[in-house]
Amino acid sequence: MDKKVILIAEDEIIPAYNLKLQLESLGYEVGEIIPNGEEIILKAISGKPDLILMDIYLDNGINGIQAVKEIHVEKPNIPVIYITASNDKETFNAIEETNYYKVIPKPYDFEVIKNAIENLFRM
């Protein structure tokens, strides 16, 4: 079986790097950590990710929600798990306008992310 490819869009490098290491220890392929919306759009559209772990707030203008909308224009079937510290109604209303698998609040327990990913890939 091929390794599942996961993209991480996160501007907080240390937690993202720890997440990357944990995912790789489980056998997933995780490339570079992508800190901004423009770059995650390009990487997702040009590559073949099986999943995107998306923070809401990213560097350089385009947030995670807008990035997902743009990615799904070209590749509507890439699943997204939002990982966010946002808990306001406006953000969740905006998330609801996108196609996503799950929202995981920060700070998160890695087991929650692991279980969400395992459940997604079982589908």
Side-chain angles (χ1 to χ4, degrees):
M1 177 171 23
D2 292 331
K3 278 188 175 185
K4 298 289 187 185
V5 176
I6 299 175
L7 295 181
I8 299 175
E10 172 64 72
D11 63 341
E12 294 181 35
I13 299 305
I14 293 172
Y17 186 73
N18 288 333
L19 178 58
K20 172 184 164 75
L21 292 177
Q22 290 172 307
L23 292 170
E24 289 174 339
S25 75
L26 296 174
Y28 296 111
E29 182 179 327
V30 183
E32 65 188 287
I33 296 161
I34 303 161
N36 69 67
E38 293 87 354
E39 191 174 347
I40 190 65
I41 293 167
L42 293 174
K43 294 281 186 183
I45 291 172
S46 66
K48 295 182 180 181
D50 295 295
L51 171 64
I52 301 171
L53 299 178
M54 180 71 73
D55 188 14
I56 301 293
Y57 298 109
L58 300 170
D59 290 341
N60 298 335
I62 294 178
N63 69 31
I65 297 168
Q66 185 60 40
V68 168
K69 288 178 181 178
E70 292 188 33
I71 290 165
H72 282 161
V73 167
E74 296 289 325
K75 294 194 172 180
N77 297 322
I78 299 174
V80 173
I81 295 176
Y82 288 107
I83 302 174
T84 183
S86 297
N87 62 4
D88 61 278
K89 186 174 181 174
E90 182 178 312
T91 299
F92 278 92
N93 287 341
I95 288 171
E96 289 295 324
E97 295 175 5
T98 67
N99 181 16
Y100 68 98
Y101 176 69
K102 189 167 186 72
V103 177
I104 297 175
K106 289 181 180 178
Y108 58 82
D109 178 338
F110 179 71
E111 285 297 312
V112 174
I113 293 175
K114 177 184 166 204
N115 291 336
I117 293 170
E118 289 174 352
N119 290 334
L120 173 68
F121 291 147
R122 273 191 218 119
M123 297 173 73

